[in-house]
Amino acid sequence: MDWIEELRVLPGVLYAMALGGAIGFERELKDRPAGFRTHMLVAGTAALLLGLSRMVLEDGQYGGKGLQIDPLRLVEAVIAGVSFIGAGTIFASRSGESVQGITTAASLLAVAAIGITVGFRYYVLALAITALTLAVLTVLRALERRAVRSIEGDQGRGG
């Protein structure tokens, strides 16, 4: 395989990193345990692994030699790896009253899925999922805070 052919995967990896970076930037602004670079790397790695599997399947060097790659197995491997990283972002307080980092762990899973989507060359879908993820992390958070303040205000008025 010509080295130029190998570079075909690179734009997808860069695109996935940009999308993951957008979500990671939001996490970074909130000073969460996994931020900009981590989200970029997770999304880029997922896209690379799927792109690499496609490339190997298309490579004549391996064709006809019984090589089979199940893309869903690669998806499972990516998810398992990201789950390990995500678990490292979750912390329980010593008192056991609260758990922190679950949203960041979920955002890492989301960027892995975005990277997988890019790896399968569904670029518009990946962009849409990125926008939805950012909406969940920002818009829903603002609505959640507003609802809590409203409830606390009602309780303070005896109502």
Side-chain angles (χ1 to χ4, degrees):
M1 174 176 280
D2 185 2
W3 67 271
I4 300 265
E5 288 295 310
E6 293 179 32
L7 295 180
R8 286 186 310 148
V9 174
L10 193 55
V13 172
L14 292 172
Y15 181 62
M17 286 181 141
L19 296 176
I23 294 167
F25 186 68
E26 186 278 338
R27 299 278 79 199
E28 192 82 36
L29 289 175
K30 292 184 177 167
D31 199 29
R32 297 305 188 237
F36 185 63
R37 292 176 298 157
T38 304
H39 283 76
M40 286 182 75
L41 289 170
V42 167
T45 301
L48 172 63
L49 290 172
L50 270 290
L52 182 61
S53 73
R54 262 194 353 269
M55 194 169 58
V56 168
L57 284 174
E58 295 168 3
D59 189 341
Q61 176 180 342
Y62 300 106
K65 295 186 181 179
L67 176 68
Q68 295 179 348
I69 295 178
D70 180 358
L72 295 181
R73 282 199 150 164
L74 285 170
V75 169
E76 291 171 356
V78 168
I79 298 304
V82 170
S83 297
F84 181 76
I85 295 168
T89 67
I90 300 172
F91 300 98
S93 67
R94 293 197 187 271
S95 64
E97 294 175 12
S98 68
V99 177
Q100 298 175 337
I102 293 177
T103 302
T104 299
S107 70
L108 286 168
L109 181 60
V111 297
I114 290 164
I116 290 166
T117 305
V118 170
F120 280 129
R121 296 183 179 166
Y122 297 117
Y123 304 118
V124 175
L125 178 59
L127 181 63
I129 297 304
T130 301
L132 286 172
T133 302
L134 284 169
V136 166
L137 292 171
T138 58
V139 175
L140 291 183
R141 176 70 174 166
L143 292 174
E144 184 180 54
R145 284 184 176 171
R146 188 173 294 155
V148 167
R149 276 185 282 182
S150 175
I151 291 169
E152 288 172 350
D154 287 347
Q155 289 175 349
R157 285 178 267 191

